[in-house]
């Protein structure tokens, strides 16, 4: 199955390092950062798991629950977590799904057969509280993900929802934002009383507080 932005995130039930997870129920009213890994006890994955654990407060501040997936068993995951904590100075407390049979990996199109028939590539799904897929990123097995970018895009999505804006290239919190073309100048006067700079009629820059 291939998933697209805007699709409803498929539900599933599977064992994890925190017991059985019923995905939609577990997600509750939170955002979810769902990310897959090829296998336990591999170097790139170990750094990514440690980085996620060490960003626990940053994810919590964004009302976002991390959820890992690796195509190994709960027993292997638990041994690996001890290694992650040891080597990355972490205290990993989010669940890792035990997708030994590739059930969830297939459901979320994380198996790219030319890369591996049995291991997931590095997929990221950002899922909103309505269970809608809001971002999909796919990295190859030998390149670790950029976690500053993952936090940045969650910030951008949440700001876009709150303020009806779009964010320009390389946007960071505090930078100017874009008034989307779908917003007329009349509506913009109400939505953005602080005003805007019209660089072009289709490129209107404004501020957020
Ligand atoms: C890693 O996590 O280090 C890794 C996993 C599979 C292939 C290459 C690297």
């Amino acid at each position: 199955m291939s998933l697209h932005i805007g699709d409803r995130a498929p539900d599933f039930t599977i064992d994890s390092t925190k017991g059985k997870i019923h995905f939609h129920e577990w997600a509750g009213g939170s955002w979810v950062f769902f990310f897959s890994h090829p296998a336990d006890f591999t170097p790139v994955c170990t750094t990514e798991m440690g980085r996620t654990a060490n960003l626990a407060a940053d994810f919590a501040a964004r009302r976002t629950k991390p959820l890992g997936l690796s195509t190994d068993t709960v027993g292997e995951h638990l041994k690996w977590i001890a290694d992650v904590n040891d080597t990355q100075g972490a205290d990993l407390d989010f669940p890792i799904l035990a997708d030994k049979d590739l059930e969830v990996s297939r459901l979320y199109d994380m198996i790219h057969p030319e890369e591996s028939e049995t291991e997931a590539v590095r997929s990221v799904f950002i899922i909103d509280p309505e269970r809608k897929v809001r971002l999909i990123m796919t990295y190859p097995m030998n390149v670790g993900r950029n976690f500053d970018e993952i936090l940045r895009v969650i910030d951008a999505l949440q700001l876009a929802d709150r303020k009806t804006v779009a964010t320009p290239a390389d946007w960071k919190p505090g930078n100017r934002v874009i008034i989307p073309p779908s917003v007329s100048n009349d509506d913009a006067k109400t939505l953005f009383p602080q005003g805007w700079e019209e660089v072009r009629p289709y490129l209107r820059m404004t501020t957020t507080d």
Side-chain angles (χ1 to χ4, degrees), residues 38-39 42-46 119 122 141-142:
T42 49
V44 177
C45 299
T46 298
E119 295 178 330
R122 294 182 199 285
M141 292 191 177
N142 57 352

